[in-house]
Amino acid sequence: MQDYELYYWGLPFRGNFIQLFLEEVRADYRKLDASEVYPDKNLNIQYPGMAPPYLYDCRAQVWFAQMPAILMHLAKAYHFLPDEPEQHTLALKVILDCNDILMEITNYNGTVMWDQDSWAEFRTHRLADWMAIFEKTGQAHILKPNAGYLLGSRLTVADIATAALFGTLVHSFPELAADLEHNAPRVAGLCQRVEDRPSIRSFLEDQRNELGKAYCGGQIEQSLRDVLR
């Protein structure tokens, strides 16, 4: 019996948070198209969510929705939470920050499309502040670009989530790499080190060969590309 089934679109965006984790721990899982569950069958599953990703834990026979909840479930199962109990909450906080940035960079899940003025304001202030928040979070442990992790001396779910967020962002939109280097140079180094881990690197190479610079798809991604062009 395989360990998990992951339902998401053929895009990195929220799905990579879970896939990078599953690849790092070398879990036995199948990636399935989200259309097999969403939207028609969504309300038929136990503990439904509003939208993908969905994770089915085959051994526990339990469905999970919401990217942060899925990551916390996996982090507990594979002992990828920090050592100190209070830092478990900090790891969740990092994942929730990632989820907030995904919502904000898509202009609240595509409520409106970006225009040059609104994007320039967001990029200069809000996105820069988010990057600085991650840099401040890790400053006690990431003493230089090649040492330490976000919440301590070992890799945790917080580091994988951070790499899934910013690593994917700067790969899909290379124009933002300089922003990350300027506002969060240690975080930029951390993302590269996580992406260089053997199983993650192999996965990303295959995915990026297949999908190129794809990010979240649709009109939302197109509006991002238009304002960054």
Side-chain angles (χ1 to χ4, degrees):
M1 178 188 295
Q2 65 194 18
D3 298 323
Y4 305 102
E5 292 176 347
L6 171 62
Y7 295 82
Y8 196 65
W9 312 114
L11 293 163
F13 202 52
R14 283 191 174 87
N16 264 26
F17 287 79
I18 301 155
Q19 284 196 267
L20 292 192
F21 189 99
L22 293 173
E23 293 292 336
E24 171 62 25
V25 300
R26 302 183 187 274
D28 182 9
Y29 75 99
R30 278 202 305 161
K31 167 83 181 319
L32 298 164
D33 193 88
S35 62
E36 295 200 22
V37 175
Y38 177 83
D40 295 337
K41 299 178 183 178
N42 176 43
L43 293 179
N44 294 331
I45 67 174
Q46 186 185 30
Y47 312 126
M50 181 58 73
Y54 302 101
L55 184 78
Y56 182 64
D57 186 321
C58 300
R59 298 182 186 280
Q61 298 184 334
V62 177
W63 286 90
F64 296 93
Q66 290 279 18
M67 180 272 285
I70 293 169
L71 274 186
M72 288 299 289
H73 171 68
L74 293 171
K76 291 173 185 176
Y78 289 92
H79 307 291
F80 262 66
L81 289 169
D83 295 327
E84 299 301 324
E86 63 270 16
Q87 288 187 312
H88 295 188
T89 304
L90 294 178
L92 175 59
K93 183 263 188 193
V94 169
I95 298 169
L96 293 173
D97 282 348
C98 290
N99 211 38
D100 283 352
I101 294 172
L102 294 182
M103 180 177 65
E104 291 188 21
I105 205 161
T106 55
N107 220 344
Y108 297 88
N109 298 322
T111 301
V112 294
M113 298 300 111
W114 289 111
D115 59 55
Q116 289 291 350
D117 290 341
S118 61
W119 170 256
E121 175 69 18
F122 172 75
R123 180 180 182 179
T124 304
H125 298 289
R126 188 81 174 182
L127 184 57
D129 287 349
W130 271 122
M131 292 174 176
I133 285 169
F134 276 74
E135 187 81 351
K136 176 74 172 179
T137 298
Q139 72 174 9
H141 303 291
I142 312 175
L143 302 179
K144 54 186 178 180
N146 295 317
Y149 293 96
L150 203 66
L151 298 177
S153 60
R154 67 178 181 88
L155 183 77
T156 71
V157 66
D159 305 294
I160 294 175
T162 300
L165 173 69
F166 290 118
T168 302
L169 187 66
V170 301
H171 169 76
S172 296
F173 305 102
E175 303 90 339
L176 296 176
D179 299 51
L180 185 62
E181 285 286 351
H182 176 74
N183 295 297
R186 295 178 179 86
V187 170
L190 170 67
C191 291
Q192 189 59 60
R193 287 189 287 122
V194 173
E195 288 193 347
D196 283 342
R197 295 177 70 85
S199 57
I200 290 178
R201 182 175 65 244
S202 177
F203 165 74
L204 288 175
E205 286 174 353
D206 290 344
Q207 183 187 64
R208 290 168 179 176
N209 285 335
E210 178 186 358
L211 300 178
K213 300 291 185 183
Y215 186 60
C216 61
Q219 290 180 312
I220 299 171
E221 180 174 331
Q222 189 57 54
S223 76
L224 277 166
R225 298 200 180 281
D226 288 344
V227 294
L228 279 166
R229 185 174 296 126

